[in-house]
Amino acid sequence: MFKSVGVLAVVLCALVCVSQAYVFEQKGFKGFDGWVESKHKGASAGEWKFTAGEFFGDAELDSGLKTGEDARFYQISRLLDEEFSNKDHNLVLQYSVKHEQSLDCGGGYLKLLPKEGLNQEDFNGDSPYNIMFGPDICGSATKKVHFIMNYKGENHQINKVIPAKTDQLTHVYTLIIKPDQTYQVLIDQEEVAAGNLLDDFNFLPPKEIKDPEQSKPADWVDEEYIDDPEDKKPEGWDDIPQYIVDPEAQQPEDWDEELDGEYEAPLIPNPDYEGEWEPNQIPNPEYKGEWVHPLIPNPEYAEDNSIYAYDSHAALGIEVWQVRSGTIFNNFLVTDDIELAAEKAKEVIARAAIEKDAKAVADEAERQRAEEERLAAEAAAAAEAEEEEDDEDWEEDDEEEDDEE
């Protein structure tokens, strides 16, 4: 009896432990709510505001951290509820970002920070991080989503370009990393990138390298074609000049040989000139093909199936520079539950749809107002021109009357 109860307890405990997911979630900012501003940049640091922006789906839930001053650094971090490791677990890093100012140059990315080396009051660009993820925009050249992972103390950027959203609306950025070392990048729950960490990053040295003991043989023939020894230069080939005297040219009638010297007709390209002679090419009977350097296993290569895993995730950090401020960060989520992240993202996307509609109505009203102003200005200009024309006609009539008198 006791044995059965003990086994049942172990099974129940295992089920509960497996079902428990790590979740850190934060949205709807009324203040810093646990986020700590870094003092590293001093007077160059920008002021943070707490707002949902001009358009929103829910005034409270959509209120986020907003960059408030142009041409400033923004460095701020927040401890997670507890430090955790994603070893043997999925990792989901998700948040929303809205460039309400129509960002011209600046970052909108997020960092996941380890406990070691974390100093929130001195958090800066050199502070260690595990993962950096999110949009970065600067002019027409840079409009991408950063995905950078730290591996053995070195930061590695993904080897592909992931386009970022560049409008003024709220978008949900999601990064999923799995224990099988695959990843997904989603924007508004639509996949924009996916693959294997080993394939899309240069974490490890190549599996094979060129054999240092091998080199191309001295007698290796790699010339695919050679001059045809039977081909001979045509007789008189070199006697054909590149330029000839223009036969149509005539000495100008006003040419004075005493002043201008003896007349010389200009030269023109010779239509019979075929350039420097070169023999025809024929396949080289000695050609062995392109020499390929033999490869050998790289002694420095070692497979690592734990690149995805970090022993310590302890905090979130925003560390960006912006020329024009106005970006709103919100809806932070760190979890190992992919389905939960999808549900939370859909909630944000639903509110963003309301925001989009509200902005569209306002944009149309502004367009109509601008059009009305344009038409009114054109009408005023036309009326003014007509009035000036009437004044001119009146003055002409007065002058004619004066002349008659």
Side-chain angles (χ1 to χ4, degrees):
M1 176 66 179
F2 291 106
K3 184 176 181 180
S4 299
V5 172
V7 171
L8 180 60
V10 171
V11 172
L12 289 174
C13 179
L15 291 173
V16 170
C17 292
V18 169
S19 64
Q20 286 181 339
Y22 176 81
V23 179
F24 170 84
E25 182 181 13
Q26 190 175 26
K27 59 187 175 183
F29 286 77
K30 297 179 180 179
F32 283 110
D33 297 337
W35 288 77
V36 177
E37 289 185 281
S38 173
K39 300 177 181 178
H40 183 80
K41 285 297 181 180
S44 297
E47 178 186 1
W48 290 94
K49 298 180 180 180
F50 315 103
T51 176
E54 186 176 0
F55 307 103
F56 47 81
D58 185 294
E60 291 188 6
L61 294 178
D62 292 337
S63 180
L65 294 169
K66 179 179 180 179
T67 57
E69 294 180 274
D70 294 346
R72 290 290 186 271
F73 290 93
Y74 293 89
Q75 299 171 327
I76 192 169
S77 61
R78 209 275 192 199
L79 291 176
L80 302 177
D81 294 337
E82 61 181 274
E83 181 186 10
F84 76 100
S85 169
N86 67 303
K87 181 175 175 58
D88 299 325
H89 290 272
N90 295 320
L91 174 64
V92 183
L93 179 61
Q94 180 171 283
Y95 72 110
S96 69
V97 61
K98 173 166 63 172
H99 299 306
E100 192 172 50
Q101 76 282 39
S102 186
L103 183 63
D104 52 353
C105 190
Y109 39 82
L110 185 66
K111 293 181 178 181
L112 188 54
L113 313 174
K115 183 176 181 180
E116 184 178 356
L118 178 60
N119 181 348
Q120 290 185 272
E121 292 196 348
D122 192 49
F123 175 55
N124 61 80
D126 294 326
S127 299
Y129 63 85
N130 295 334
I131 297 172
M132 187 174 106
F133 171 67
D136 188 19
I137 297 170
C138 196
S140 59
T142 303
K143 296 179 180 179
K144 66 180 181 180
V145 177
H146 278 301
F147 178 17
I148 302 175
M149 296 182 66
N150 185 281
Y151 178 66
K152 294 185 176 181
E154 183 177 349
N155 295 327
H156 295 264
Q157 173 78 272
I158 192 170
N159 296 332
K160 60 174 67 172
V161 177
I162 307 174
K165 297 291 185 180
T166 58
D167 56 39
Q168 297 171 271
L169 301 171
T170 295
H171 295 285
V172 181
Y173 285 79
T174 306
L175 172 64
I176 301 171
I177 300 176
K178 298 180 179 180
D180 64 0
Q181 311 226 90
T182 59
Y183 71 89
Q184 280 182 291
V185 175
L186 312 175
I187 301 179
D188 298 332
Q189 285 298 287
E190 293 186 4
E191 183 179 278
V192 293
N196 189 288
L197 297 178
L198 294 178
D199 296 334
D200 295 340
F201 288 79
N202 295 327
F203 293 119
L204 305 176
K207 289 184 178 181
E208 295 181 311
I209 59 172
K210 294 179 179 179
D211 186 352
E213 303 296 326
Q214 297 287 335
S215 60
K216 184 168 69 173
D219 60 349
W220 187 274
V221 178
D222 51 13
E223 293 179 346
E224 187 173 359
Y225 295 93
I226 59 172
D227 294 344
D228 183 355
E230 303 297 327
D231 193 17
K232 303 299 181 183
K233 182 191 296 186
E235 187 174 344
W237 182 280
D238 293 334
D239 297 334
I240 301 174
Q242 184 175 357
Y243 297 95
I244 59 173
V245 174
D246 184 356
E248 304 294 330
Q250 295 181 355
Q251 179 175 306
E253 293 181 0
D254 60 350
W255 188 272
D256 188 331
E257 290 191 358
E258 291 185 3
L259 296 176
D260 302 323
E262 184 179 353
Y263 173 76
E264 293 182 2
L267 300 179
I268 61 172
N270 186 353
D272 296 327
Y273 180 72
E274 298 185 45
E276 185 178 349
W277 183 83
E278 294 182 353
N280 292 327
Q281 299 287 294
I282 61 172
N284 187 352
E286 304 296 327
Y287 177 63
K288 296 183 179 181
E290 184 180 354
W291 185 76
V292 179
H293 202 128
L295 301 177
I296 60 172
N298 186 353
E300 297 183 1
Y301 176 82
E303 189 171 344
D304 188 347
N305 294 319
S306 64
I307 293 175
Y308 77 95
Y310 294 89
D311 293 331
S312 169
H313 295 301
L316 291 175
I318 300 172
E319 195 280 317
V320 298
W321 157 268
Q322 291 192 338
V323 174
R324 186 188 302 167
S325 63
T327 297
I328 300 175
F329 298 85
N330 194 17
N331 299 295
F332 299 97
L333 179 67
V334 183
T335 183
D336 57 2
D337 190 332
I338 298 175
E339 292 183 0
L340 174 65
E343 292 174 6
K344 296 295 182 180
K346 290 175 182 177
E347 292 175 4
V348 181
I349 294 169
R351 300 199 304 271
I354 300 173
E355 167 197 316
K356 181 179 181 180
D357 291 342
K359 186 177 186 306
V361 171
D363 288 347
E364 177 59 22
E366 174 61 22
R367 187 196 67 77
Q368 291 182 4
R369 185 194 64 78
E371 178 66 9
E372 290 172 359
E373 288 185 355
R374 184 186 68 79
L375 294 175
E378 289 180 355
E384 183 178 354
E386 184 176 355
E387 184 177 347
E388 290 177 354
E389 185 177 347
D390 290 342
D391 290 343
E392 290 176 357
D393 292 342
W394 181 267
E395 291 175 357
E396 289 177 0
D397 290 342
D398 286 346
E399 291 176 358
E400 290 177 359
E401 291 177 1
D402 292 340
D403 291 340
E404 291 176 357
E405 293 178 0

